[in-house]
Amino acid sequence: MTLNRRAVLTATLVAGLFNPMWAGAAQPLVMGFSQVGAESEWRTANTASIKDAAKKDGITLKFADAQQKQENQVKALRSFIAQKVDVIAFSPVVESGWDTVLREARAAKIPVILTDRAVSVSDPSLYVTFIGSDFVEEGRKAGRWLLDFAKKAPNAELNIVELQGTVGSAPAIDRKKGFEEIIASNPKLKLSRSQSGDFTRAKGKEVMEAFLKAKDKKIDVLYAHNDDMAIGAIQAIEEAGLKPGKDIIIISIDGVKGAFEAMVAGKLNVTVECNPLLGPQLMQLARDVVAGKPVARRITTTEGVFPAEVAAKELPNRRY
Ligand code: AHR
């Protein structure tokens, strides 16, 4: 309950002015939401979904953009605690380092919901529930697509380079793990380089330029942990005089419109979907949590795989 709600209720009770009609006109639920940043097309769609859903649902949203810095998120969470919001939701930049601030939220009796990215904490009861994608499975889907592709030339060795997401973030850790788990079954698939491009186009381009300049081994495949880094890398590949999607096979994750456009243009080979439209489910979850209803510990979103062959047909249906 917010300070306002408590204050209004106490004042009316003390003054003996309580009107039962007011009981139905409760104050709106207040959610403090700490967002990772605005690093990608995916993130922009995720922010819009959360803001729209809060508005439609009549939830007062206190929104803070952490600009990809954990220290900003910790500050935002402390500020939400000080403001006595009804519920805190956040998408953690990185997995570790949350125990202290989550204990502070618990001491203030404010429930916490994780969205999109998971945390690694000593006491998992420090958050109520987690809604988001299965990032390990996304990595596996990317790996399986490559296994199938490699069947076309079973004797050829494929040299793979990887653009990882933000160091220490759940999607970077899990997408690497899932992909490596699958490609391990084919010894012809060799991962030679792996570096973080921080989930941004600019960094994806910069790191891909460095990979290409190394010139020690021909690059056959690029695995990018998100579409934005793949799109940045496509620019680097073109500037190096090569054909993305042909000279270098490109696999990425998210399924944003930019990726579908790149596939239609023949520059990207496949994208694994990661759904950012979490807003409506998050608002319902927040209402249930605040009302003390039982909720699932883990809510996983359903997602597909989109190879270039289906891109033109799918592009008009994409919502982000
Ligand atoms: O946590 C989800 C990831 O974060 C998305 O794949 C990426 O685009 C974003 O920056």
Side-chain angles (χ1 to χ4, degrees), residues 237-252:
I237 294 167
E238 286 180 324
E239 282 168 25
L242 295 168
K243 287 197 172 63
K246 294 181 184 72
D247 296 330
I248 299 179
I249 298 300
I250 307 178
I251 305 164
S252 73

Side-chain angles (χ1 to χ4, degrees), residues 30-58:
V30 180
M31 173 189 283
F33 186 88
S34 169
Q35 180 59 291
V36 169
E39 73 284 4
S40 60
E41 229 180 293
W42 188 99
R43 190 65 55 195
T44 307
N46 181 244
T47 295
S49 168
I50 287 161
K51 287 186 173 172
D52 287 357
K55 206 169 167 191
K56 281 190 189 127
D57 214 330

Side-chain angles (χ1 to χ4, degrees), residues 160-194:
I160 309 163
V161 296
E162 177 182 42
L163 282 170
Q164 287 187 45
T166 303
V167 176
S169 69
I173 296 167
D174 292 352
R175 287 172 183 169
K176 181 170 186 54
K177 190 174 159 204
F179 183 76
E180 286 181 352
E181 180 193 307
I182 297 297
I183 66 163
S185 66
N186 181 347
K188 298 269 180 201
L189 302 177
K190 304 240 195 255
L191 185 61
S192 64
R193 283 173 194 274
S194 181

Side-chain angles (χ1 to χ4, degrees), residues 63-278:
F63 184 90
D65 177 339
Q67 297 175 350
Q68 295 246 64
K69 292 200 176 79
Q70 184 177 31
E71 65 204 75
N72 291 345
Q73 285 202 299
V74 172
K75 268 190 211 149
L77 298 197
R78 291 204 165 118
S79 144
F80 297 150
I81 296 170
Q83 294 173 66
K84 296 186 166 49
V85 298
D86 297 307
V87 58
I88 290 175
F90 79 117
S91 174
V93 179
V94 289
E95 268 192 355
S96 57
W98 299 104
D99 287 77
T100 308
V101 71
L102 291 185
R103 283 208 169 86
E104 292 167 22
R106 170 183 280 176
K109 298 192 170 39
I110 300 176
V112 175
I113 300 174
L114 301 179
T115 78
D116 161 38
R117 296 185 182 180
V119 294
S120 158
V121 277
S122 53
D123 175 2
S125 73
L126 285 170
Y127 61 89
V128 184
T129 177
F130 167 47
I131 173 170
S133 307
D134 180 341
F135 295 138
V136 178
E137 190 51 31
E138 288 173 353
R140 289 191 191 117
K141 285 174 182 166
R144 285 188 201 113
W145 185 90
L146 183 57
L147 276 191
D148 274 356
F149 174 84
K151 282 183 195 151
K152 289 178 192 161
N155 296 321
E157 200 164 272
L158 293 179
N159 175 33
I160 309 163
V161 296
E162 177 182 42
L163 282 170
Q164 287 187 45
T166 303
V167 176
S169 69
I173 296 167
D174 292 352
R175 287 172 183 169
K176 181 170 186 54
K177 190 174 159 204
F179 183 76
E180 286 181 352
E181 180 193 307
I182 297 297
I183 66 163
S185 66
N186 181 347
K188 298 269 180 201
L189 302 177
K190 304 240 195 255
L191 185 61
S192 64
R193 283 173 194 274
S194 181
Q195 205 176 309
S196 173
D198 214 12
F199 283 129
T200 68
R201 282 187 194 198
K203 206 71 204 303
K205 179 170 189 252
E206 191 185 308
V207 176
M208 191 67 204
E209 277 166 1
F211 285 165
L212 290 162
K213 269 188 199 133
K215 287 202 166 105
D216 49 352
K217 241 178 160 194
K218 181 186 170 287
I219 298 171
D220 302 302
V221 178
L222 163 67
Y223 168 45
H225 288 191
N226 83 343
D227 290 337
D228 281 75
M229 292 189 294
I231 291 166
I234 285 171
Q235 283 176 33
I237 294 167
E238 286 180 324
E239 282 168 25
L242 295 168
K243 287 197 172 63
K246 294 181 184 72
D247 296 330
I248 299 179
I249 298 300
I250 307 178
I251 305 164
S252 73
I253 298 183
D254 275 355
V256 297
K257 274 189 189 156
F260 279 77
E261 283 157 7
M263 287 195 288
V264 171
K267 298 177 181 185
L268 178 74
N269 302 81
V270 62
T271 185
V272 174
E273 189 179 35
C274 177
N275 186 359
L277 308 179
L278 304 176

